[in-house]
Amino acid sequence: MSDGAGPSTGTSRRAPSGWPSAVCLVGMPALVVVAALVPAVRPRRPPTPAVRSTPADTNVPLVPLSYALWMAAGVVRGPVELTDGVWEQLPGTVGEPALWLVRTEAFRAVAARLADAVLDGAEKERAAALRVAGDRDTYLAGHVGLRLLLSAYLGVPPVDVPLGRLPCPLCGQPHGRPVVRDSPLHFSLSHSGGLCLLAFAPASVGVDIEVVPALEVAEDVGGALHPQETAELSRLRAEHRPAHFARVWARKEAYLKGLGVGLGRSMALDYLGAGPEEVAQVPGWTIEDVAVDDGYAAAVALQAENAVPGTDGYAGRGRE
């Protein structure tokens, strides 16, 4: 789902018609992984994934594995929920990657109270242009939260945080990864279905959050994934495919946002895994699932701080 700063940020895409193909859609890039987080305020538990007893046998019953167990094993990360005033307690820097969750419903009053003072003119115009009240509320919650957190980390007033975009690495147009100008701090923002996920890190980072779609959407769009991921989805029972599809899609978008190319890069090029196993890693990056609410899937991708641009998996590595 969308990621960005200011007027370039897109509205939430709706499947199946909104799932883009091979066009330059980098206007929604950038956010990534958490090895150590701000002390977690755990959100409600997301949908239970399933583990295959025998990967090749579609008739074998699936054994549920809870996200609580995954988190205890360090396989997925939990974001901190942004509530009124929490940003005032933050240190003035980001030494380690941090993940934050904003629930539109819970944060609506805070966003409405602070929007005029916190957002810049372009963001206010973008919010006013959203005709659906739910989309407008989620945009305001996400962007007010983004500016409040950036303000706390950078030590400047929220409205003065200098947001911008890098050139698109695919076409050179000014809709690449959103950035804070003249700052080493990296961030990423994604929203879907009334939830916003934000990440902050000292290196390139990307996050994505997705509503688990209907089965027909998962089956229709699943063919756009890496061939091995499509095969993994096909081996799952139908009732489990939507959650697994949403998870692998979130992994892919988080990684592509971190690269700064967004959905301008084919989802079929990189193998991250659609099965119940841990994320298949890409050289130079750490990619992890994020524990969010029931009915959602989320992921974060963080580039190694010593990675050399151009040698970080962007060349199209995949598992054949």
Side-chain angles (χ1 to χ4, degrees):
M1 284 299 147
S2 70
D3 177 0
S8 298
T9 303
T11 57
S12 298
R13 298 187 304 281
R14 291 181 174 81
S17 61
W19 296 84
S21 55
V23 292
C24 185
L25 294 175
V26 185
M28 310 174 184
L31 255 229
V32 172
V33 198
V34 183
L37 296 171
V38 182
V41 177
R42 187 177 300 178
R44 294 188 301 276
R45 192 175 65 190
T48 301
V51 177
R52 287 196 306 278
S53 300
T54 307
D57 189 351
T58 59
N59 296 316
V60 174
L62 296 174
V63 180
L65 177 63
S66 74
Y67 264 70
L69 291 176
W70 278 33
M71 288 188 70
V75 178
V76 293
R77 300 293 175 179
V80 178
E81 183 173 0
L82 184 63
T83 56
D84 197 356
V86 167
W87 55 88
E88 297 174 353
Q89 306 168 27
L90 294 178
T93 185
V94 178
E96 298 173 338
L99 282 175
W100 292 86
L101 182 73
V102 180
R103 290 193 177 89
T104 299
E105 185 65 30
F107 204 68
R108 179 183 287 110
V110 178
R113 186 181 81 234
L114 299 177
D116 282 345
V118 166
L119 301 180
D120 65 17
E123 288 166 321
K124 293 174 187 176
E125 290 179 6
R126 179 73 184 113
L130 296 172
R131 307 177 74 90
V132 178
D135 291 344
R136 185 167 56 252
D137 289 344
T138 297
Y139 178 90
L140 289 172
H143 282 259
V144 167
L146 173 66
R147 282 192 173 270
L148 289 171
L149 290 168
L150 286 172
S151 170
Y153 289 133
L154 298 171
V156 300
V159 72
D160 292 335
V161 174
L163 297 179
R165 283 187 177 271
L166 297 176
C168 170
L170 299 179
C171 69
Q173 296 300 307
H175 56 217
R177 178 188 296 121
V179 295
V180 180
R181 296 189 187 96
D182 302 319
S183 172
L185 178 63
H186 296 255
F187 72 90
S188 181
L189 164 65
S190 178
H191 60 75
S192 181
L195 294 184
C196 306
L197 187 63
L198 302 95
F200 304 87
S204 296
V205 64
V207 290
D208 189 62
I209 185 168
E210 300 286 342
V211 173
V212 174
L215 175 60
E216 56 268 25
V217 174
E219 292 184 336
D220 182 46
V221 185
L225 299 171
H226 187 281
Q228 184 169 335
E229 294 164 341
T230 301
E232 289 170 350
L233 288 174
S234 70
R235 290 196 293 265
L236 295 172
R237 288 185 173 177
E239 62 266 31
H240 297 293
R241 283 181 207 142
H244 282 265
F245 167 79
R247 191 167 64 209
V248 67
W249 192 275
R251 292 170 178 177
K252 291 290 185 83
E253 281 217 47
Y255 172 54
L256 297 182
K257 289 174 183 177
L259 286 175
V261 298
L263 290 169
R265 176 174 171 84
S266 171
M267 286 281 189
L269 291 178
D270 308 290
Y271 175 82
L272 298 180
E277 300 82 10
E278 295 183 28
V279 186
Q281 296 299 319
V282 176
W285 289 82
T286 301
I287 304 168
E288 297 187 4
D289 297 318
V290 176
V292 287
D293 292 7
D294 292 344
Y296 294 80
V300 60
L302 181 68
Q303 187 176 33
E305 292 187 61
N306 60 353
V308 177
T311 63
D312 54 8
Y314 180 68
R317 293 185 180 89
R319 188 178 297 182
E320 300 301 331

